[in-house]
Amino acid sequence: MTLIYYLCDYFNIFNALTKPDFDIRLMSTIAHEKYEAVIGLEVHAQLLTKSKAFASVAAQYGEAPNTQVTPLCLGHPGTLPVVNENLVRYIIKMGLATNCSVAPVSIFARKNYFYPDLPKGYQISQFDTPICFDGFIDIELEDYNKRIGLTRIHMEEDAGKSIHDQDPYNTLVDLNRAGTPLIEIVSEPDIRTPQEAYAYLTKIKQIVQYLEICDGNMEEGSLRCDANVSVRPRGREKFGTRTELKNMNSFRNVERAIEFEIFRQIELIEEGGEVVQQTRLWDTSKNQTRVMRSKEEAHDYRYFPEPDLPPIIVTDELLSKIREELPELADVRQKRFVEEYKMSEVDAITLTEDRYLADYFEEVTGYAGNAKSASNIVLSEVLRILNEKSIDISEFSVSAKRLAELVQLKDDDKINSSAMQEVFNTMLNNEKSAEELAKEMNLIQVSDSGFIESIVDEIIKNNPDEVQRYKEGKKQLMGFFVGQAMKASKGQANPKLVTEMVRKKLEG
Ligand code: ADP
Ligand code: MG
């Protein structure tokens, strides 16, 4: 038994190492036999407030450099910060949606460090009194569900941006981002696999999108994730030394970076080395992590209470008001879809994964009056296009109303399913209504009973053998008759009516 185990192990490793494109998934699976990874994530979400965290200037992206800047953002003496009310409301929403306790009193703190894109010389953040703490997020994986603890969620402001690749001799600084509001969500070290980390991030994205407090786009940097990773021999309680991974700009990259890092640490330990606490950068082109700096300690930042801002007081009234404003979140919506629209749990999960996809589906259902047909077309055709084009439902070209018209054509038996698909494909690049297109494309089914009767009579006349056998009990021949009718009518006869007509004629 042991021998077989070792042989398998040997060949797995052999395969993994000789593969041209490295397959860390395989390698880490093997290594997982002996070791267990411990992972904690720090996620920054950029809030969708109109103005900055402490200054009354717009916080939108994409403007010309250094145009969204006030003396406060530049760190001029004599300027004073004022808290953006929505920063507080949004973070409380997030806290409530993730089962956190909300501190009745919390304060801001200065995190001091020098950087050219930080004119003040400190970031306003929260240190030992985060406004939200002790929460959890439930994640679903293929074969199990798991609860991931949240240590804290706190408020902070972003720094500006240093641009190193536009001028060959200088670094440019854009301060538009300086002072935009962020929340940092810190997980407990409860995550054990890269897949769990991926599921956790997906859930965070879903929650912030449902709450409409952040657009959740990791590629564009509105969600950012640092991953703390350590490994320990299975069964040991004490955590190993962790490294912190940065610079992953997609969910997949977070998963890959953690996978790589777990393997790197296990290899290092197996070779007799020791993991050093450090910050490492994920290099997308090389698919590996590399050292950025050795770990800084909290005391290096000389945190101290921000003297220019009063404590944040959260009254019970404010709390219950915000609680009332919370939208229906994905988990609840999913259960409602199963009950209200009688759909499978899998379909409900897919439809509610993205808030706006769920909204779209409900809109189509509202217009078409048939949830079953609406969910069918959204789950198959619409999702297929979104995947093919890598776009969100907000960028999808067919409005819910136009799609509902297509659904109704099919439900009213005016077109068949293959025609529905053809019309759908044409609608993607066309403003015409489903009915207009179906007519133009000659796809409208004929339901005129006189027309259908004449076709069926003709078929009965021309196929006496089949008619005889049908009458003797060979009912499978119905398919043959319908096929003939479709052929005779060039696909336009309504097959349901043909079936009824054949039955009427042959069974009396
Ligand atoms: P720091 O400011 O040093 O990064 P934080 O408290 O902000 O510390 O974040 C620490 C993160 O690292 C948390 O998500 C925590 O769960 C995680 N963490 C702590 N110890 C370990 C460990 N040994 N292995 C993996 N993750 C860890
Ligand atoms: Mg950290």
Side-chain angles (χ1 to χ4, degrees):
M1 186 61 207
T2 329
L3 180 66
I4 293 171
Y5 173 80
Y6 274 114
L7 278 177
C8 292
D9 221 21
Y10 174 80
F11 280 114
N12 275 338
I13 287 174
F14 180 76
N15 279 338
L17 293 180
T18 50
K19 260 192 153 171
D21 210 348
F22 86 135
D23 189 345
I24 31 177
R25 191 181 303 251
L26 185 55
M27 293 195 270
S28 59
T29 320
I30 307 154
H32 267 205
E33 298 297 327
K34 238 166 101 185
Y35 291 89
E36 173 180 65
V38 172
I39 302 157
L41 298 185
E42 295 163 79
V43 176
H44 285 92
Q46 190 204 321
L47 297 180
L48 287 169
T49 56
K50 288 206 184 77
S51 53
K52 291 191 178 180
F54 307 108
S56 54
V57 59
Q60 269 71 46
Y61 268 154
E63 300 300 320
N66 298 309
T67 53
Q68 300 191 331
V69 177
T70 63
L72 185 93
C73 310
L74 296 171
H76 283 194
T79 54
L80 285 173
V82 176
V83 181
N84 182 334
E85 197 184 327
N86 273 340
L87 164 60
V88 179
R89 298 178 77 90
Y90 286 9
I91 196 170
I92 294 176
K93 279 189 184 186
M94 187 63 184
L96 292 177
T98 53
N99 316 288
C100 284
S101 304
V102 179
V105 181
S106 69
I107 62 164
F108 286 105
R110 287 189 182 178
K111 180 180 181 180
N112 300 280
Y113 64 96
F114 170 80
Y115 212 75
D117 59 22
L118 189 74
K120 297 205 301 290
Y122 59 87
Q123 238 175 328
I124 303 179
S125 179
Q126 292 197 294
F127 186 50
D128 41 18
T129 60
I131 185 165
C132 302
F133 56 98
D134 281 353
F136 62 83
I137 289 180
D138 289 328
I139 58 170
E140 292 96 33
L141 289 112
E142 235 163 76
D143 344 300
Y144 63 99
N145 296 342
K146 184 168 173 176
R147 179 160 290 184
I148 308 295
L150 296 187
T151 319
R152 54 191 279 153
I153 309 179
H154 67 254
M155 304 178 263
E156 61 183 35
E157 58 173 343
D158 210 345
K161 218 181 214 166
S162 298
I163 303 158
H164 306 291
D165 57 3
Q166 279 193 10
D167 182 320
Y169 305 108
N170 300 294
T171 286
L172 307 177
V173 175
D174 177 6
L175 293 173
N176 281 357
R177 200 180 66 181
T180 53
L182 303 175
I183 57 173
E184 179 172 342
I185 306 150
V186 182
S187 86
E188 288 288 292
D190 289 346
I191 300 168
R192 291 289 170 272
T193 67
Q195 293 72 33
E196 287 180 12
Y198 186 91
Y200 171 82
L201 280 175
T202 312
K203 205 63 190 262
I204 289 197
K205 174 179 175 172
Q206 187 186 54
I207 296 171
V208 297
Q209 284 184 338
Y210 265 81
L211 295 173
E212 297 187 293
I213 61 170
C214 166
D215 67 26
N217 193 323
M218 198 159 178
E219 282 78 6
E220 287 171 13
S222 355
L223 264 191
R224 290 167 236 162
C225 171
D226 299 340
N228 297 271
V229 179
S230 65
V231 298
R232 62 181 171 190
R234 258 175 215 289
R236 193 204 285 176
E237 206 176 315
K238 194 169 169 284
F239 290 157
T241 306
R242 70 174 148 135
T243 57
E244 184 169 342
L245 312 181
K246 286 185 184 291
N247 204 35
M248 296 87 73
N249 61 355
S250 72
F251 287 20
R252 277 295 161 222
N253 278 342
V254 173
E255 196 181 15
R256 285 195 196 115
I258 294 173
E259 234 162 359
F260 177 88
E261 186 59 17
I262 293 171
F263 184 68
R264 188 190 70 84
Q265 292 186 9
I266 292 173
E267 268 221 317
L268 190 64
I269 296 169
E270 286 283 283
E271 283 167 11
E274 245 177 68
V275 177
V276 191
Q277 188 167 352
Q278 57 191 193
T279 304
R280 300 178 67 91
L281 288 182
W282 173 245
D283 185 331
T284 313
S285 58
K286 296 206 180 89
N287 268 346
Q288 61 187 38
T289 63
R290 62 182 152 82
V291 185
M292 175 189 170
R293 57 168 182 247
S294 69
K295 180 69 194 170
E296 74 279 7
E297 299 287 341
H299 63 246
D300 297 336
Y301 290 117
R302 305 233 165 216
Y303 278 99
F304 67 85
E306 165 63 65
D308 290 340
L309 286 169
I312 296 295
I313 314 273
V314 182
T315 59
D316 287 347
E317 286 91 312
L318 179 65
L319 209 54
S320 44
K321 198 150 167 262
I322 295 177
R323 206 186 292 274
E324 273 166 32
E325 282 169 17
L326 286 183
E328 179 186 44
L329 291 174
D331 297 354
V332 180
R333 197 170 199 187
Q334 184 191 312
K335 289 201 185 79
R336 177 168 67 78
F337 276 18
V338 171
E339 279 167 27
E340 190 174 333
Y341 302 125
K342 311 276 175 273
M343 65 174 70
S344 72
E345 202 176 301
V346 179
D347 288 351
I349 290 174
T350 311
L351 284 174
T352 53
E353 209 167 278
D354 174 347
R355 173 191 173 144
Y356 300 105
L357 183 71
D359 287 349
Y360 183 83
F361 154 72
E362 292 212 273
E363 222 184 312
V364 177
T365 303
Y367 285 120
N370 183 344
K372 181 85 193 121
S373 315
S375 67
N376 278 346
I377 193 161
V378 172
L379 285 166
S380 57
E381 300 305 313
V382 177
L383 282 186
R384 175 176 62 83
I385 298 294
L386 299 190
N387 284 335
E388 274 174 22
K389 297 194 173 169
S390 291
I391 53 171
D392 287 336
I393 188 70
S394 59
E395 301 159 89
F396 182 58
S397 59
V398 182
S399 70
K401 190 150 183 259
R402 291 181 66 219
L403 191 72
E405 286 163 8
L406 177 63
V407 168
Q408 276 175 320
L409 278 188
K410 167 74 177 39
D411 283 348
D412 295 346
D413 274 328
K414 290 195 178 144
I415 55 173
N416 61 29
S417 11
S418 70
M420 172 154 94
Q421 207 164 5
E422 273 183 62
V423 176
F424 175 82
N425 288 333
T426 314
M427 281 174 88
L428 295 172
N429 312 307
N430 202 308
E431 288 299 310
K432 289 183 183 158
S433 77
E435 185 150 16
E436 276 175 280
L437 287 173
K439 276 186 189 147
E440 271 178 28
M441 296 160 78
N442 266 334
L443 294 169
I444 298 281
Q445 294 188 139
V446 180
S447 301
D448 172 56
S449 57
F451 171 74
I452 288 176
E453 185 166 17
S454 68
I455 290 182
V456 170
D457 283 345
E458 192 71 12
I459 292 168
I460 290 177
K461 201 175 89 195
N462 295 339
N463 299 281
D465 285 358
E466 279 78 7
V467 169
Q468 182 63 23
R469 277 159 56 214
Y470 183 90
K471 284 186 172 163
E472 285 165 12
K474 200 149 173 51
K475 296 281 188 264
Q476 303 94 296
L477 279 168
M478 181 58 87
F480 166 78
F481 294 122
V482 175
Q484 291 292 311
M486 296 314 279
K487 215 164 123 190
S489 69
K490 299 200 175 64
Q492 290 190 31
N494 180 337
K496 226 156 103 190
L497 297 182
V498 172
T499 310
E500 280 166 23
M501 188 62 76
V502 172
R503 220 172 255 147
K504 198 170 115 196
K505 298 262 169 189
L506 300 185
E507 295 178 23

